[in-house]
Amino acid sequence: MTTETTPRRRPATAPRWAGALAGLLAAATGVAIGSGLAALFTGVPTPIESVGNQFIDLTPAWLKDFAIEQFGTNDKAVLIAGTVVVLTLASLAAGVVGLRRPRIAFAIVATFGIVAVITAFTDRTATAQRALVLIPALVTLVVSLVVLGVLLRALELAPKPGDDVPEGFDRRAFMRAVLVASAGIAVGASVWRFLGSDAGAASRASVSLPAPADAAAPVPAGAQVDLDGISPFITPNSDFYRIDTALQVPQVPVEGYTLRIHGMVDQELNLSFRDLLAERLVERRITLTCVSNEVGGPLVGNAAWLGVLTKDLLERAGVQAGADAVKTTSSDGMTIGTPVEALLDDRESLIAVGMNGEPLPLQHGFPVRMVVPGLYGYVSATKWLVDIEVTRFEDFEAYWTPRGYAEEAPIKMSSRIDVPRSFAEVPLDNARFGGVAWAQDTGIERVEVQIDDGPWQDADLAEEDSINTWRQWSWTWDDATEGIHNVTVRATDANGETQTSERARIVPDGTTGWHSVQFRVA
């Protein structure tokens, strides 16, 4: 007598939602545990961050500018969210496919895991040893595959004794696996959230800045226009724009910090943070502008910066003949090229340690950054600064140069309307307008406004602080008429040059054009 045993097989009865849940939990568990491991080490990005960093490095200039134009300073959050959405959709699909074809499901998950390993290995932001950087990504890959296998196994048909055709799947085994995976997610996420490195924040809290040897003069009483809605003359740190490529703000403690100055110099310098604080510190108010700032855009701010004159340090190092550039590097590997002349002339560029009376905020470069008046940030404003190499432009390519941006990029004269906002309603009996204008290294001499196609009329200028800061303006439309109108602004610098109306794109060296706002008088 022969007894036949019905072989186990992949069923059609396991619901698709269970397969989708299996795929999602597998990916989430791997990412959570890998991220938790990364948080335990300094200088180790999470797998999601490594993928995002690689995406940033491979992003063409037009896409980067589009992202900033559409999302502004939220571009990094959007990138992370997009990465998570793609991973979520792929894991859901893998789980559903895995109900019948588990090998394909494993291949999908493995592909994403291998991408995470490769991006971790090539992540320029990682400062730990490369072998250590790879561990979270490898753990993510292994955990995701193991969890997927366990969950899919639990979704197989569970034969019942005496049945010729097995029914259902092992719900208890599946739920046990779901609970274990969920616990793994909770533990990994908690470690990432609460035990992640805060070395920079802790170090910043311990810093007490000395008084400057050369403090900035008080802000002129007439520098701020009395008009609701106009930008404050000094931009608060919390409102200052942030544009950089760091998905995770680098944590750079002052303990062990060293700024290296080398290259085409007579004497290499290695300065600790204490060394920098012991230098002659000066305070200067300087307006910074991002090259990605559209006409009328918000990516500009004015702050009081405390630091060491780059001229003092470079002269001590001794810049050799033939050097025309300085290559600066941040702690996360970002490189920026700056004309050496801009760091040695009388514009007073700074190796900054303070911003608006306090240590640099982490997102603005703590503990040390560069601030150079008159140059767009991508060629001057290196945050989390750790290395200054005196060199020649022909001997290196900075991060943005191969992406279509110019090697040298002076900030272009510009003006902006702050009041009224687009489509705002302006009272007929108080049609007052205002904004800011800047022409660094020269200064603003005149601002004019135009209503619709009417004549240009002079605005009232606030008192000038310095040629390196923006200047506020205001104007009252005494004979305002009801209806929808446009107001346009243009500036003229101290050399008599008037701002061009010609529109230029962000790439290669910044936008140009007049800012206009449509509003309604009622």
PDB file of all heavy atoms in Angstrom, residues 273-309:
ATOM      1  N   PHE A 273      40.651  74.636  17.060  1.00  0.00           N
ATOM      2  CA  PHE A 273      39.597  75.625  17.278  1.00  0.00           C
ATOM      3  C   PHE A 273      40.045  76.642  18.325  1.00  0.00           C
ATOM      4  O   PHE A 273      39.776  77.844  18.189  1.00  0.00           O
ATOM      5  CB  PHE A 273      38.318  74.921  17.728  1.00  0.00           C
ATOM      6  CG  PHE A 273      37.130  75.836  17.811  1.00  0.00           C
ATOM      7  CD1 PHE A 273      36.516  76.299  16.660  1.00  0.00           C
ATOM      8  CD2 PHE A 273      36.627  76.225  19.041  1.00  0.00           C
ATOM      9  CE1 PHE A 273      35.410  77.152  16.728  1.00  0.00           C
ATOM     10  CE2 PHE A 273      35.519  77.073  19.123  1.00  0.00           C
ATOM     11  CZ  PHE A 273      34.917  77.528  17.963  1.00  0.00           C
ATOM     12  N   ARG A 274      40.754  76.197  19.344  1.00  0.00           N
ATOM     13  CA  ARG A 274      41.280  77.120  20.360  1.00  0.00           C
ATOM     14  C   ARG A 274      42.274  78.091  19.729  1.00  0.00           C
ATOM     15  O   ARG A 274      42.321  79.277  20.094  1.00  0.00           O
ATOM     16  CB  ARG A 274      41.938  76.353  21.504  1.00  0.00           C
ATOM     17  CG  ARG A 274      40.954  75.602  22.396  1.00  0.00           C
ATOM     18  CD  ARG A 274      41.668  74.917  23.550  1.00  0.00           C
ATOM     19  NE  ARG A 274      40.757  74.237  24.429  1.00  0.00           N
ATOM     20  CZ  ARG A 274      40.103  74.797  25.432  1.00  0.00           C
ATOM     21  NH1 ARG A 274      40.292  76.096  25.685  1.00  0.00           N
ATOM     22  NH2 ARG A 274      39.289  74.102  26.200  1.00  0.00           N
ATOM     23  N   ASP A 275      43.082  77.592  18.803  1.00  0.00           N
ATOM     24  CA  ASP A 275      44.034  78.470  18.110  1.00  0.00           C
ATOM     25  C   ASP A 275      43.293  79.582  17.368  1.00  0.00           C
ATOM     26  O   ASP A 275      43.712  80.748  17.382  1.00  0.00           O
ATOM     27  CB  ASP A 275      44.885  77.681  17.123  1.00  0.00           C
ATOM     28  CG  ASP A 275      45.843  76.721  17.797  1.00  0.00           C
ATOM     29  OD1 ASP A 275      46.218  76.977  18.962  1.00  0.00           O
ATOM     30  OD2 ASP A 275      46.202  75.709  17.172  1.00  0.00           O
ATOM     31  N   LEU A 276      42.198  79.212  16.710  1.00  0.00           N
ATOM     32  CA  LEU A 276      41.433  80.208  15.962  1.00  0.00           C
ATOM     33  C   LEU A 276      40.815  81.248  16.894  1.00  0.00           C
ATOM     34  O   LEU A 276      40.817  82.447  16.589  1.00  0.00           O
ATOM     35  CB  LEU A 276      40.334  79.525  15.146  1.00  0.00           C
ATOM     36  CG  LEU A 276      40.811  78.680  13.955  1.00  0.00           C
ATOM     37  CD1 LEU A 276      39.642  77.926  13.338  1.00  0.00           C
ATOM     38  CD2 LEU A 276      41.481  79.560  12.905  1.00  0.00           C
ATOM     39  N   LEU A 277      40.301  80.804  18.048  1.00  0.00           N
ATOM     40  CA  LEU A 277      39.725  81.754  18.993  1.00  0.00           C
ATOM     41  C   LEU A 277      40.777  82.676  19.586  1.00  0.00           C
ATOM     42  O   LEU A 277      40.456  83.793  20.020  1.00  0.00           O
ATOM     43  CB  LEU A 277      39.000  81.015  20.123  1.00  0.00           C
ATOM     44  CG  LEU A 277      37.760  80.201  19.744  1.00  0.00           C
ATOM     45  CD1 LEU A 277      37.064  79.691  20.999  1.00  0.00           C
ATOM     46  CD2 LEU A 277      36.795  81.020  18.908  1.00  0.00           C
ATOM     47  N   ALA A 278      42.021  82.219  19.601  1.00  0.00           N
ATOM     48  CA  ALA A 278      43.108  83.051  20.144  1.00  0.00           C
ATOM     49  C   ALA A 278      43.642  84.048  19.121  1.00  0.00           C
ATOM     50  O   ALA A 278      44.425  84.938  19.473  1.00  0.00           O
ATOM     51  CB  ALA A 278      44.248  82.152  20.630  1.00  0.00           C
ATOM     52  N   GLU A 279      43.218  83.918  17.862  1.00  0.00           N
ATOM     53  CA  GLU A 279      43.646  84.864  16.829  1.00  0.00           C
ATOM     54  C   GLU A 279      42.935  86.211  17.017  1.00  0.00           C
ATOM     55  O   GLU A 279      42.004  86.344  17.826  1.00  0.00           O
ATOM     56  CB  GLU A 279      43.304  84.311  15.438  1.00  0.00           C
ATOM     57  CG  GLU A 279      44.074  83.059  15.049  1.00  0.00           C
ATOM     58  CD  GLU A 279      45.511  83.363  14.646  1.00  0.00           C
ATOM     59  OE1 GLU A 279      45.782  84.523  14.246  1.00  0.00           O
ATOM     60  OE2 GLU A 279      46.337  82.450  14.733  1.00  0.00           O
ATOM     61  N   ARG A 280      43.344  87.175  16.242  1.00  0.00           N
ATOM     62  CA  ARG A 280      42.665  88.480  16.262  1.00  0.00           C
ATOM     63  C   ARG A 280      41.318  88.324  15.553  1.00  0.00           C
ATOM     64  O   ARG A 280      41.255  88.162  14.338  1.00  0.00           O
ATOM     65  CB  ARG A 280      43.516  89.540  15.568  1.00  0.00           C
ATOM     66  CG  ARG A 280      42.876  90.925  15.507  1.00  0.00           C
ATOM     67  CD  ARG A 280      43.810  91.921  14.830  1.00  0.00           C
ATOM     68  NE  ARG A 280      43.172  93.222  14.724  1.00  0.00           N
ATOM     69  CZ  ARG A 280      42.385  93.603  13.715  1.00  0.00           C
ATOM     70  NH1 ARG A 280      42.142  92.749  12.714  1.00  0.00           N
ATOM     71  NH2 ARG A 280      41.852  94.813  13.682  1.00  0.00           N
ATOM     72  N   LEU A 281      40.237  88.361  16.333  1.00  0.00           N
ATOM     73  CA  LEU A 281      38.900  88.166  15.776  1.00  0.00           C
ATOM     74  C   LEU A 281      38.271  89.505  15.413  1.00  0.00           C
ATOM     75  O   LEU A 281      38.368  90.474  16.173  1.00  0.00           O
ATOM     76  CB  LEU A 281      38.010  87.443  16.779  1.00  0.00           C
ATOM     77  CG  LEU A 281      38.452  86.036  17.203  1.00  0.00           C
ATOM     78  CD1 LEU A 281      37.461  85.450  18.210  1.00  0.00           C
ATOM     79  CD2 LEU A 281      38.565  85.124  15.999  1.00  0.00           C
ATOM     80  N   VAL A 282      37.630  89.530  14.268  1.00  0.00           N
ATOM     81  CA  VAL A 282      36.932  90.736  13.822  1.00  0.00           C
ATOM     82  C   VAL A 282      35.468  90.384  13.565  1.00  0.00           C
ATOM     83  O   VAL A 282      35.132  89.239  13.267  1.00  0.00           O
ATOM     84  CB  VAL A 282      37.569  91.335  12.548  1.00  0.00           C
ATOM     85  CG1 VAL A 282      39.042  91.651  12.771  1.00  0.00           C
ATOM     86  CG2 VAL A 282      37.394  90.401  11.367  1.00  0.00           C
ATOM     87  N   GLU A 283      34.605  91.377  13.678  1.00  0.00           N
ATOM     88  CA  GLU A 283      33.184  91.208  13.417  1.00  0.00           C
ATOM     89  C   GLU A 283      32.796  92.081  12.233  1.00  0.00           C
ATOM     90  O   GLU A 283      33.102  93.273  12.201  1.00  0.00           O
ATOM     91  CB  GLU A 283      32.369  91.603  14.647  1.00  0.00           C
ATOM     92  CG  GLU A 283      30.866  91.395  14.477  1.00  0.00           C
ATOM     93  CD  GLU A 283      30.093  91.926  15.665  1.00  0.00           C
ATOM     94  OE1 GLU A 283      30.381  93.066  16.115  1.00  0.00           O
ATOM     95  OE2 GLU A 283      29.198  91.199  16.149  1.00  0.00           O
ATOM     96  N   ARG A 284      32.127  91.456  11.253  1.00  0.00           N
ATOM     97  CA  ARG A 284      31.716  92.189  10.057  1.00  0.00           C
ATOM     98  C   ARG A 284      30.299  91.766   9.673  1.00  0.00           C
ATOM     99  O   ARG A 284      29.963  90.582   9.724  1.00  0.00           O
ATOM    100  CB  ARG A 284      32.673  91.921   8.891  1.00  0.00           C
ATOM    101  CG  ARG A 284      34.097  92.385   9.113  1.00  0.00           C
ATOM    102  CD  ARG A 284      34.186  93.902   9.151  1.00  0.00           C
ATOM    103  NE  ARG A 284      35.569  94.361   9.310  1.00  0.00           N
ATOM    104  CZ  ARG A 284      36.135  94.679  10.476  1.00  0.00           C
ATOM    105  NH1 ARG A 284      35.428  94.558  11.611  1.00  0.00           N
ATOM    106  NH2 ARG A 284      37.383  95.101  10.524  1.00  0.00           N
ATOM    107  N   ARG A 285      29.493  92.727   9.277  1.00  0.00           N
ATOM    108  CA  ARG A 285      28.167  92.402   8.743  1.00  0.00           C
ATOM    109  C   ARG A 285      28.294  92.216   7.230  1.00  0.00           C
ATOM    110  O   ARG A 285      28.784  93.103   6.521  1.00  0.00           O
ATOM    111  CB  ARG A 285      27.158  93.499   9.088  1.00  0.00           C
ATOM    112  CG  ARG A 285      26.760  93.486  10.560  1.00  0.00           C
ATOM    113  CD  ARG A 285      25.667  94.479  10.852  1.00  0.00           C
ATOM    114  NE  ARG A 285      26.130  95.860  10.776  1.00  0.00           N
ATOM    115  CZ  ARG A 285      26.694  96.526  11.777  1.00  0.00           C
ATOM    116  NH1 ARG A 285      26.892  95.931  12.956  1.00  0.00           N
ATOM    117  NH2 ARG A 285      27.070  97.782  11.627  1.00  0.00           N
ATOM    118  N   ILE A 286      27.828  91.048   6.764  1.00  0.00           N
ATOM    119  CA  ILE A 286      28.005  90.669   5.362  1.00  0.00           C
ATOM    120  C   ILE A 286      26.726  90.004   4.874  1.00  0.00           C
ATOM    121  O   ILE A 286      26.160  89.138   5.560  1.00  0.00           O
ATOM    122  CB  ILE A 286      29.194  89.703   5.187  1.00  0.00           C
ATOM    123  CG1 ILE A 286      30.498  90.354   5.658  1.00  0.00           C
ATOM    124  CG2 ILE A 286      29.323  89.249   3.735  1.00  0.00           C
ATOM    125  CD1 ILE A 286      31.666  89.392   5.779  1.00  0.00           C
ATOM    126  N   THR A 287      26.276  90.397   3.698  1.00  0.00           N
ATOM    127  CA  THR A 287      25.123  89.767   3.058  1.00  0.00           C
ATOM    128  C   THR A 287      25.602  88.613   2.191  1.00  0.00           C
ATOM    129  O   THR A 287      26.522  88.777   1.383  1.00  0.00           O
ATOM    130  CB  THR A 287      24.356  90.786   2.195  1.00  0.00           C
ATOM    131  OG1 THR A 287      23.829  91.807   3.052  1.00  0.00           O
ATOM    132  CG2 THR A 287      23.209  90.122   1.446  1.00  0.00           C
ATOM    133  N   LEU A 288      24.996  87.443   2.368  1.00  0.00           N
ATOM    134  CA  LEU A 288      25.317  86.272   1.559  1.00  0.00           C
ATOM    135  C   LEU A 288      24.167  85.977   0.603  1.00  0.00           C
ATOM    136  O   LEU A 288      23.001  86.167   0.946  1.00  0.00           O
ATOM    137  CB  LEU A 288      25.566  85.044   2.442  1.00  0.00           C
ATOM    138  CG  LEU A 288      26.727  85.112   3.426  1.00  0.00           C
ATOM    139  CD1 LEU A 288      26.920  83.753   4.104  1.00  0.00           C
ATOM    140  CD2 LEU A 288      28.012  85.549   2.750  1.00  0.00           C
ATOM    141  N   THR A 289      24.514  85.498  -0.573  1.00  0.00           N
ATOM    142  CA  THR A 289      23.520  85.157  -1.590  1.00  0.00           C
ATOM    143  C   THR A 289      23.874  83.821  -2.220  1.00  0.00           C
ATOM    144  O   THR A 289      25.037  83.569  -2.514  1.00  0.00           O
ATOM    145  CB  THR A 289      23.465  86.232  -2.694  1.00  0.00           C
ATOM    146  OG1 THR A 289      23.314  87.511  -2.097  1.00  0.00           O
ATOM    147  CG2 THR A 289      22.311  85.989  -3.639  1.00  0.00           C
ATOM    148  N   CYS A 290      22.861  82.988  -2.435  1.00  0.00           N
ATOM    149  CA  CYS A 290      23.067  81.715  -3.120  1.00  0.00           C
ATOM    150  C   CYS A 290      22.926  81.926  -4.622  1.00  0.00           C
ATOM    151  O   CYS A 290      22.052  82.675  -5.077  1.00  0.00           O
ATOM    152  CB  CYS A 290      22.049  80.692  -2.637  1.00  0.00           C
ATOM    153  SG  CYS A 290      22.214  79.069  -3.419  1.00  0.00           S
ATOM    154  N   VAL A 291      23.763  81.243  -5.390  1.00  0.00           N
ATOM    155  CA  VAL A 291      23.675  81.357  -6.842  1.00  0.00           C
ATOM    156  C   VAL A 291      22.333  80.845  -7.352  1.00  0.00           C
ATOM    157  O   VAL A 291      21.873  81.229  -8.435  1.00  0.00           O
ATOM    158  CB  VAL A 291      24.837  80.590  -7.518  1.00  0.00           C
ATOM    159  CG1 VAL A 291      24.645  79.087  -7.391  1.00  0.00           C
ATOM    160  CG2 VAL A 291      25.008  80.992  -8.973  1.00  0.00           C
ATOM    161  N   SER A 292      21.668  79.999  -6.587  1.00  0.00           N
ATOM    162  CA  SER A 292      20.378  79.446  -6.992  1.00  0.00           C
ATOM    163  C   SER A 292      19.213  80.387  -6.721  1.00  0.00           C
ATOM    164  O   SER A 292      18.061  80.038  -6.977  1.00  0.00           O
ATOM    165  CB  SER A 292      20.129  78.111  -6.274  1.00  0.00           C
ATOM    166  OG  SER A 292      21.097  77.156  -6.637  1.00  0.00           O
ATOM    167  N   ASN A 293      19.504  81.566  -6.195  1.00  0.00           N
ATOM    168  CA  ASN A 293      18.435  82.506  -5.896  1.00  0.00           C
ATOM    169  C   ASN A 293      17.825  83.048  -7.183  1.00  0.00           C
ATOM    170  O   ASN A 293      18.505  83.665  -7.997  1.00  0.00           O
ATOM    171  CB  ASN A 293      18.975  83.664  -5.056  1.00  0.00           C
ATOM    172  CG  ASN A 293      17.880  84.475  -4.403  1.00  0.00           C
ATOM    173  OD1 ASN A 293      16.931  83.918  -3.871  1.00  0.00           O
ATOM    174  ND2 ASN A 293      18.006  85.793  -4.450  1.00  0.00           N
ATOM    175  N   GLU A 294      16.545  82.798  -7.368  1.00  0.00           N
ATOM    176  CA  GLU A 294      15.838  83.355  -8.513  1.00  0.00           C
ATOM    177  C   GLU A 294      15.619  84.852  -8.304  1.00  0.00           C
ATOM    178  O   GLU A 294      15.734  85.370  -7.193  1.00  0.00           O
ATOM    179  CB  GLU A 294      14.487  82.653  -8.693  1.00  0.00           C
ATOM    180  CG  GLU A 294      14.586  81.187  -9.072  1.00  0.00           C
ATOM    181  CD  GLU A 294      14.921  80.984 -10.540  1.00  0.00           C
ATOM    182  OE1 GLU A 294      15.019  81.977 -11.276  1.00  0.00           O
ATOM    183  OE2 GLU A 294      15.075  79.809 -10.948  1.00  0.00           O
ATOM    184  N   VAL A 295      15.295  85.568  -9.387  1.00  0.00           N
ATOM    185  CA  VAL A 295      14.971  86.985  -9.274  1.00  0.00           C
ATOM    186  C   VAL A 295      13.842  87.152  -8.272  1.00  0.00           C
ATOM    187  O   VAL A 295      12.791  86.523  -8.385  1.00  0.00           O
ATOM    188  CB  VAL A 295      14.569  87.562 -10.652  1.00  0.00           C
ATOM    189  CG1 VAL A 295      14.063  88.994 -10.495  1.00  0.00           C
ATOM    190  CG2 VAL A 295      15.739  87.509 -11.619  1.00  0.00           C
ATOM    191  N   GLY A 296      14.082  87.973  -7.238  1.00  0.00           N
ATOM    192  CA  GLY A 296      13.084  88.162  -6.194  1.00  0.00           C
ATOM    193  C   GLY A 296      13.019  87.052  -5.176  1.00  0.00           C
ATOM    194  O   GLY A 296      12.125  87.042  -4.331  1.00  0.00           O
ATOM    195  N   GLY A 297      13.966  86.114  -5.215  1.00  0.00           N
ATOM    196  CA  GLY A 297      13.924  84.946  -4.358  1.00  0.00           C
ATOM    197  C   GLY A 297      14.389  85.188  -2.933  1.00  0.00           C
ATOM    198  O   GLY A 297      14.951  86.235  -2.609  1.00  0.00           O
ATOM    199  N   PRO A 298      14.204  84.181  -2.043  1.00  0.00           N
ATOM    200  CA  PRO A 298      14.507  84.334  -0.617  1.00  0.00           C
ATOM    201  C   PRO A 298      15.903  83.871  -0.203  1.00  0.00           C
ATOM    202  O   PRO A 298      16.236  83.943   0.982  1.00  0.00           O
ATOM    203  CB  PRO A 298      13.451  83.438   0.029  1.00  0.00           C
ATOM    204  CG  PRO A 298      13.292  82.308  -0.951  1.00  0.00           C
ATOM    205  CD  PRO A 298      13.461  82.923  -2.321  1.00  0.00           C
ATOM    206  N   LEU A 299      16.708  83.375  -1.154  1.00  0.00           N
ATOM    207  CA  LEU A 299      17.986  82.772  -0.774  1.00  0.00           C
ATOM    208  C   LEU A 299      19.086  83.832  -0.646  1.00  0.00           C
ATOM    209  O   LEU A 299      20.132  83.797  -1.293  1.00  0.00           O
ATOM    210  CB  LEU A 299      18.382  81.704  -1.797  1.00  0.00           C
ATOM    211  CG  LEU A 299      17.336  80.608  -2.026  1.00  0.00           C
ATOM    212  CD1 LEU A 299      17.853  79.579  -3.013  1.00  0.00           C
ATOM    213  CD2 LEU A 299      16.936  79.946  -0.704  1.00  0.00           C
ATOM    214  N   VAL A 300      18.824  84.780   0.229  1.00  0.00           N
ATOM    215  CA  VAL A 300      19.770  85.849   0.540  1.00  0.00           C
ATOM    216  C   VAL A 300      19.519  86.271   1.971  1.00  0.00           C
ATOM    217  O   VAL A 300      18.378  86.256   2.450  1.00  0.00           O
ATOM    218  CB  VAL A 300      19.610  87.040  -0.444  1.00  0.00           C
ATOM    219  CG1 VAL A 300      18.183  87.560  -0.439  1.00  0.00           C
ATOM    220  CG2 VAL A 300      20.576  88.164  -0.122  1.00  0.00           C
ATOM    221  N   GLY A 301      20.577  86.601   2.709  1.00  0.00           N
ATOM    222  CA  GLY A 301      20.417  86.990   4.103  1.00  0.00           C
ATOM    223  C   GLY A 301      21.595  87.826   4.560  1.00  0.00           C
ATOM    224  O   GLY A 301      22.690  87.772   3.979  1.00  0.00           O
ATOM    225  N   ASN A 302      21.386  88.587   5.601  1.00  0.00           N
ATOM    226  CA  ASN A 302      22.404  89.498   6.123  1.00  0.00           C
ATOM    227  C   ASN A 302      22.663  89.173   7.587  1.00  0.00           C
ATOM    228  O   ASN A 302      21.714  89.055   8.374  1.00  0.00           O
ATOM    229  CB  ASN A 302      21.927  90.951   5.980  1.00  0.00           C
ATOM    230  CG  ASN A 302      23.001  91.953   6.358  1.00  0.00           C
ATOM    231  OD1 ASN A 302      24.144  91.831   5.948  1.00  0.00           O
ATOM    232  ND2 ASN A 302      22.622  92.961   7.134  1.00  0.00           N
ATOM    233  N   ALA A 303      23.920  88.984   7.945  1.00  0.00           N
ATOM    234  CA  ALA A 303      24.247  88.599   9.319  1.00  0.00           C
ATOM    235  C   ALA A 303      25.550  89.249   9.754  1.00  0.00           C
ATOM    236  O   ALA A 303      26.351  89.719   8.930  1.00  0.00           O
ATOM    237  CB  ALA A 303      24.349  87.080   9.448  1.00  0.00           C
ATOM    238  N   ALA A 304      25.753  89.264  11.077  1.00  0.00           N
ATOM    239  CA  ALA A 304      27.020  89.714  11.648  1.00  0.00           C
ATOM    240  C   ALA A 304      27.893  88.489  11.894  1.00  0.00           C
ATOM    241  O   ALA A 304      27.508  87.592  12.639  1.00  0.00           O
ATOM    242  CB  ALA A 304      26.768  90.469  12.951  1.00  0.00           C
ATOM    243  N   TRP A 305      29.038  88.455  11.249  1.00  0.00           N
ATOM    244  CA  TRP A 305      29.925  87.298  11.315  1.00  0.00           C
ATOM    245  C   TRP A 305      31.160  87.627  12.145  1.00  0.00           C
ATOM    246  O   TRP A 305      31.731  88.716  12.019  1.00  0.00           O
ATOM    247  CB  TRP A 305      30.349  86.878   9.910  1.00  0.00           C
ATOM    248  CG  TRP A 305      29.197  86.619   8.994  1.00  0.00           C
ATOM    249  CD1 TRP A 305      28.610  87.510   8.137  1.00  0.00           C
ATOM    250  CD2 TRP A 305      28.475  85.391   8.842  1.00  0.00           C
ATOM    251  NE1 TRP A 305      27.566  86.926   7.459  1.00  0.00           N
ATOM    252  CE2 TRP A 305      27.459  85.617   7.872  1.00  0.00           C
ATOM    253  CE3 TRP A 305      28.578  84.132   9.419  1.00  0.00           C
ATOM    254  CZ2 TRP A 305      26.565  84.630   7.474  1.00  0.00           C
ATOM    255  CZ3 TRP A 305      27.684  83.147   9.027  1.00  0.00           C
ATOM    256  CH2 TRP A 305      26.699  83.400   8.067  1.00  0.00           C
ATOM    257  N   LEU A 306      31.586  86.676  12.959  1.00  0.00           N
ATOM    258  CA  LEU A 306      32.789  86.817  13.775  1.00  0.00           C
ATOM    259  C   LEU A 306      33.820  85.805  13.302  1.00  0.00           C
ATOM    260  O   LEU A 306      33.502  84.622  13.142  1.00  0.00           O
ATOM    261  CB  LEU A 306      32.467  86.564  15.248  1.00  0.00           C
ATOM    262  CG  LEU A 306      33.655  86.601  16.225  1.00  0.00           C
ATOM    263  CD1 LEU A 306      34.166  88.032  16.377  1.00  0.00           C
ATOM    264  CD2 LEU A 306      33.248  86.024  17.587  1.00  0.00           C
ATOM    265  N   GLY A 307      35.053  86.265  13.067  1.00  0.00           N
ATOM    266  CA  GLY A 307      36.066  85.318  12.623  1.00  0.00           C
ATOM    267  C   GLY A 307      37.428  85.944  12.434  1.00  0.00           C
ATOM    268  O   GLY A 307      37.671  87.112  12.771  1.00  0.00           O
ATOM    269  N   VAL A 308      38.310  85.132  11.875  1.00  0.00           N
ATOM    270  CA  VAL A 308      39.683  85.552  11.589  1.00  0.00           C
ATOM    271  C   VAL A 308      39.752  85.956  10.122  1.00  0.00           C
ATOM    272  O   VAL A 308      39.193  85.276   9.256  1.00  0.00           O
ATOM    273  CB  VAL A 308      40.675  84.396  11.852  1.00  0.00           C
ATOM    274  CG1 VAL A 308      42.108  84.873  11.665  1.00  0.00           C
ATOM    275  CG2 VAL A 308      40.466  83.817  13.246  1.00  0.00           C
ATOM    276  N   LEU A 309      40.423  87.052   9.839  1.00  0.00           N
ATOM    277  CA  LEU A 309      40.601  87.450   8.445  1.00  0.00           C
ATOM    278  C   LEU A 309      41.418  86.390   7.714  1.00  0.00           C
ATOM    279  O   LEU A 309      42.500  85.996   8.179  1.00  0.00           O
ATOM    280  CB  LEU A 309      41.304  88.802   8.357  1.00  0.00           C
ATOM    281  CG  LEU A 309      40.525  90.012   8.895  1.00  0.00           C
ATOM    282  CD1 LEU A 309      41.421  91.248   8.911  1.00  0.00           C
ATOM    283  CD2 LEU A 309      39.291  90.270   8.049  1.00  0.00           C
TER     284      LEU A 309
END
